[in-house]
Amino acid sequence: APSPGVRDAKGSKSSSKAPAGGSASPPAPKAPPRRKARAASTTGAPAGFFVYGTLRPDDDSKASWTKSFNEGMEAQVAYLPGASLYIDGRYPAVCLEETSCSVRGMLLTPPPDKAGLMASKLSEADQIEGYP
């Protein structure tokens, strides 16, 4: 049976087989299988928030705030599908768009007994990013 085709950047279907005499390119890396996210509280408040760049606990840029920002939070690798990462000005920005790309980041959640921690972390993130 023929192998399923893959859509190229223009949306055209292409074969996953290499042309005759050519070499096959390695398969594109895939995001790990998605895990079921922890449910939001019954009050409708979010359970956590997505961070990328120097706010990620696994960031290796040596940014002065990375370690302290993540203290007390639980982190889990997360992928934001349908998003791209751009640098527009001083800071990177995640843009939600119709794309097959995804942005790797972390889902940060406070422990169940420290629900107020999330509000203070979001405020701290605004200060780090220079948000007005």
Side-chain angles (χ1 to χ4, degrees):
S3 63
V6 178
R7 300 247 179 228
D8 65 14
K10 295 179 183 176
S12 302
K13 205 169 189 181
S14 63
S15 172
S16 60
K17 294 181 182 179
S23 63
S25 60
K30 292 184 179 180
R34 296 179 194 202
R35 288 188 253 166
K36 198 171 189 176
R38 196 180 337 171
S41 71
T42 56
T43 62
F49 55 98
F50 180 84
V51 294
Y52 59 95
T54 59
L55 294 178
R56 277 190 355 228
D58 63 344
D59 176 69
D60 60 1
S61 69
K62 309 271 192 270
S64 61
W65 55 79
T66 301
K67 185 176 180 180
S68 63
F69 179 78
N70 287 282
E71 285 178 4
M73 299 293 280
E74 297 173 8
Q76 159 181 3
V77 173
Y79 289 86
L80 188 57
S84 298
L85 187 61
Y86 298 99
I87 296 180
D88 184 19
R90 294 182 0 179
Y91 298 102
V94 169
C95 300
L96 301 176
E97 52 193 7
E98 291 184 29
T99 179
S100 59
C101 298
S102 62
V103 173
R104 181 186 183 278
M106 302 290 261
L107 177 64
L108 297 181
T109 55
D113 61 337
K114 295 186 179 179
L117 183 59
M118 192 160 94
S120 69
K121 292 295 182 179
L122 289 172
S123 177
E124 185 180 347
D126 286 346
Q127 292 172 1
I128 290 169
E129 297 294 333
Y131 187 75

